[in-house]
C-alpha cells in the first residue's frame, strides 16, 4: 500500500505531486529545490542552495524513519556544471561514506523557480 510522506519541515509541493511516496519499503522523494520551509524564501548561491536541498531531503527521510544511509539512488540536476565541485563537496558532507548510493548528475537549461540545483532520491528500508 502506498503512503504519502509529508512534513512541514520541508517545503510544501509547488505542484500536483507529493513530497515523497513510500511503498513496499521504498521511499521515492520528489526533487527538492532550495526553498527554505521556515522563511518561504529561496536560498541563493550554489553553496547555500545545496545545503538547503540536502536539509529538505534529510527531514523527508526522517519523516519516513530513514536516513541518508538508506539512500540507494540520487539524481542531481544542475543549471551549470561549473557548480559541480562545490555541490559535490556539500552533498558528500551529508552522505554516509560507507553506504553511498548510485547517482547521476545532469546539466539542465532551467529548473523550477530558476534555482541552480534540484535533487531527488530513492531510499530503501533494509
Amino acid at each position: 500500500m502506498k503512503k504519502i510522506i509529508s512534513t512541514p519541515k520541508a517545503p510544501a509541493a509547488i505542484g500536483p505531486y507529493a513530497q515523497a511516496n513510500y511503498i513496499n519499503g521504498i521511499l521515492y522523494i520528489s526533487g527538492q529545490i532550495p526553498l527554505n520551509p521556515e522563511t518561504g524564501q529561496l536560498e541563493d548561491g550554489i553553496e547555500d542552495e545545496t545545503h538547503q536541498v540536502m536539509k529538505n531531503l534529510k527531514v523527508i527521510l526522517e519523516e519516513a524513519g530513514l536516513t541518508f544511509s538508506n539512500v540507494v539512488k540520487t539524481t542531481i540536476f544542475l543549471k551549470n556544471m561549473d557548480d559541480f565541485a562545490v555541490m559535490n563537496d556539500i552533498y558528500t558532507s551529508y552522505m554516509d561514506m560507507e553506504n553511498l548510493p548510485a547517482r547521476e548528475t545532469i546539466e539542465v537549461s532551467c529548473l523550477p523557480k530558476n534555482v541552480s540545483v534540484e535533487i531527488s532520491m530513492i531510499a530503501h528500508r533494509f
Side-chain angles (χ1 to χ4, degrees):
M1 177 176 203
K2 179 174 91 169
K3 178 181 178 184
I4 293 176
I5 301 296
S6 182
T7 175
K9 295 178 183 175
I14 56 174
Y17 61 90
Q19 286 176 341
N21 284 313
Y22 188 69
I23 186 167
N24 296 331
I26 301 173
L27 181 69
Y28 300 90
I29 304 175
S30 293
Q32 295 297 301
I33 62 173
L35 190 59
N36 184 319
E38 294 176 15
T39 66
Q41 301 297 310
L42 289 168
E43 297 298 330
D44 190 35
I46 192 62
E47 290 180 20
D48 290 341
E49 288 185 49
T50 304
H51 276 295
Q52 187 62 57
V53 167
M54 295 304 289
K55 289 175 188 175
N56 294 344
L57 290 162
K58 182 177 188 271
V59 296
I60 295 169
L61 285 163
E62 289 171 347
E63 185 69 20
L66 303 172
T67 69
F68 285 118
S69 295
N70 296 98
V71 176
V72 295
K73 180 73 166 74
T74 301
T75 301
I76 301 171
F77 300 98
L78 283 175
K79 197 160 79 171
N80 185 341
M81 200 56 82
D82 291 341
D83 292 333
F84 180 85
V86 172
M87 176 282 302
N88 195 56
D89 286 345
I90 294 166
Y91 169 91
T92 301
S93 73
Y94 287 84
M95 300 307 292
D96 175 357
M97 298 306 289
E98 300 295 317
N99 292 296
L100 292 172
R103 184 182 99 175
E104 68 264 330
T105 303
I106 305 157
E107 183 179 57
V108 296
S109 63
C110 190
L111 289 165
K113 297 192 176 276
N114 205 32
V115 299
S116 298
V117 61
E118 179 176 3
I119 302 175
S120 64
M121 291 183 165
I122 300 172
H124 189 273
R125 183 176 306 280
F126 304 113

